[in-house]
Amino acid sequence: AGQPVFPEGFDLAGRLEVLEDPQGRLELTDVENRQFTASGGIPNFGFTDSAIWVRLRIPDGTNAELLQMGFPLMDRIDLYQKENGTWKTTTAGSIFPFHHRAYAHRTFLFDLSEESRKGHPVYARFVNGDSMQIPLTLWSRRDFALRDHDEQFALGIYYGIVFVMALFNLFLFFTLRDKTHLSYVLYVFAFG
C-alpha cells in the first residue's frame, strides 16, 4: 500500500535549484555550500558555455528509483549522490559511446541510491555545446518500463509508416521511371 505511483513520472520542473558556473571550474566541494537559485520550471539556459549545477532532493513519499534526463543531446552529465556515506559519481552524455550507458535508452537514466531516496541531496553538473535544457523526471522502474513500452510502440508505428511510404514510392519510381519519386524516397528516408 504505502508509496504513491506516478505512471507519468514525477516531473521535477520547479523543484530544482540551479547554480551557473561560467568558467566551468567548480567541483562538488565548491558548490555544496554555495547559494543555489530555485528554478521556475524546466531549467533552460539557451546556448551557454557555462557549466550548470543542479541540486535536488527526492520528495518524500515517492517511489523514485530512476532519474531521467529527458534531453538526449546533453554532452556531459556528472551525477553526484551519497552511497554508503561517500559521494559516488556517475558520468554520462552524448560525447560518450552509447554502450557505456547504464540503460540502453535514447535519454539518460540514472539509478538513485538508497540515501538519495531518503532525502539526501543529489547534485548534477551539466555541460553542453548545444542548447542547455534540463528536464528531469523521477520514475519507479516499473512505471518507466510501462511508459517506455508505449513510446517504443508509437515510434515503431511512426517508422513503419515512413518505411512503407518510402517503399511505395520506390516501387512507383521503378514502375513509372519518374525521378520525382526517387527524390521523394530520398527525402522520406532523410526525414525518417
Side-chain angles (χ1 to χ4, degrees):
Q3 298 181 346
V5 178
F6 300 102
E8 297 300 314
F10 189 84
D11 189 4
L12 291 170
R15 293 180 169 87
L16 302 172
E17 298 175 287
V18 295
L19 173 70
E20 187 171 0
D21 176 10
Q23 285 77 36
R25 294 187 185 132
L26 296 177
E27 299 290 329
L28 178 62
T29 53
D30 300 324
V31 301
E32 280 185 281
N33 296 317
R34 294 245 180 153
Q35 183 67 38
F36 280 67
T37 311
S39 70
I42 296 174
N44 185 347
F45 291 86
F47 290 92
T48 181
D49 292 328
S50 299
I52 304 297
W53 285 85
V54 171
R55 180 172 55 199
L56 65 107
R57 291 184 193 273
I58 309 302
D60 289 337
T62 64
N63 56 348
E65 298 169 296
L66 297 172
L67 175 66
Q68 179 186 28
M69 167 53 179
F71 184 65
L73 302 178
M74 189 64 63
D75 288 346
R76 183 180 178 113
I77 305 165
D78 296 303
L79 186 78
Y80 302 89
Q81 57 184 328
K82 285 276 185 157
E83 194 169 290
N84 298 323
T86 60
W87 286 107
K88 176 189 170 199
T89 307
T90 308
T91 302
S94 63
I95 61 171
F96 300 105
F98 190 82
H99 68 275
H100 283 266
R101 295 184 185 193
Y103 295 90
H105 194 267
R106 68 184 182 284
T107 63
F108 302 104
L109 296 168
F110 300 93
D111 288 312
L112 293 170
S113 69
E114 190 66 34
E115 290 173 53
S116 298
R117 290 186 272 173
K118 290 183 178 175
H120 201 282
V122 176
Y123 292 88
R125 181 179 182 270
F126 299 91
V127 177
N128 202 13
D130 199 349
S131 176
M132 182 70 76
Q133 301 171 39
I134 309 174
L136 297 173
T137 308
L138 296 173
W139 293 95
S140 71
R141 283 186 178 82
R142 179 186 176 276
D143 293 337
F144 179 78
L146 292 172
R147 174 65 180 252
D148 190 53
H149 179 269
D150 294 343
E151 285 180 3
Q152 293 296 327
F153 184 74
L155 287 172
I157 290 172
Y158 170 76
Y159 286 114
I161 290 170
V162 169
F163 179 74
V164 168
M165 286 175 55
L167 195 62
F168 176 72
N169 280 281
L170 189 61
F171 173 75
L172 287 177
F173 166 72
F174 286 127
T175 305
L176 303 173
R177 300 286 182 207
D178 183 0
K179 291 184 180 181
T180 307
H181 290 286
L182 183 59
S183 298
Y184 186 68
V185 167
L186 295 175
Y187 169 76
V188 168
F189 269 125
F191 186 79

